[in-house]
Amino acid sequence: GAVAVGASAALALVPTGTWALFQDTSAVSSGSLTARSVTAPASMSCTTSGGSAVLSFPNIAANQSNYYVIELAGTATGAAASTTVINPSTTNPTSFSVSSGLLGGLLNLTTVYVRVYTAATGSPDFTWRTSAYREWQLTVGLVTGNVSCNQSIA
């Protein structure tokens, strides 16, 4: 889903003593404003190739100036064990591979979850990251280390 930016609050304040209430407005006097869209990928597919899982998702024009945040986790809703960022690109669809070399501390698990979010920035705070994401459950062979697709979660 799209990220809506804004906040509102209603407080009943009555000035007493030294309190003062202000209303402040502002206007843009130079430059320009442009709209920005940050939406999660509409879908994600997974194929197994050479011991790795290759995940692909549509990279619509509105998202081509955004970053994709890839999280690997040990459970479907658990905290991310690692995070990778895909820089803005016009490649459509966008694809990335998950191999045993990327799993780090998750290598001892037989199931790994991959979540893909969209964000306006690629820095660690991931400004305006979507709350919605796409997720796949992957299977890891303990003996071979091969990573394969299991099922789409979200």
Side-chain angles (χ1 to χ4, degrees), residues 64-89:
Q64 290 178 0
S65 61
N66 296 324
Y67 295 79
Y68 290 103
V69 180
I70 314 300
E71 291 183 346
L72 298 176
T75 63
T77 58
S82 68
T83 302
T84 302
V85 176
I86 296 176
N87 292 326
S89 168

Side-chain angles (χ1 to χ4, degrees), residues 44 53-57 70 86 94-98 114-116:
M44 187 164 59
V54 180
L55 295 116
S56 300
F57 50 90
I70 314 300
I86 296 176
T94 293
S95 298
F96 65 97
S97 296
V98 177
V114 178
R115 294 187 287 261
V116 178

Side-chain angles (χ1 to χ4, degrees), residues 109-150:
L109 300 177
T110 56
T111 302
V112 174
Y113 296 83
V114 178
R115 294 187 287 261
V116 178
Y117 298 85
T118 307
T121 65
S123 61
D125 63 350
F126 306 120
T127 306
W128 295 353
R129 185 179 86 168
T130 55
S131 56
Y133 54 86
R134 294 290 163 230
E135 183 173 29
W136 265 85
Q137 179 185 35
L138 306 179
T139 301
V140 182
L142 287 179
V143 175
T144 64
N146 290 344
V147 180
S148 59
C149 306
N150 189 325

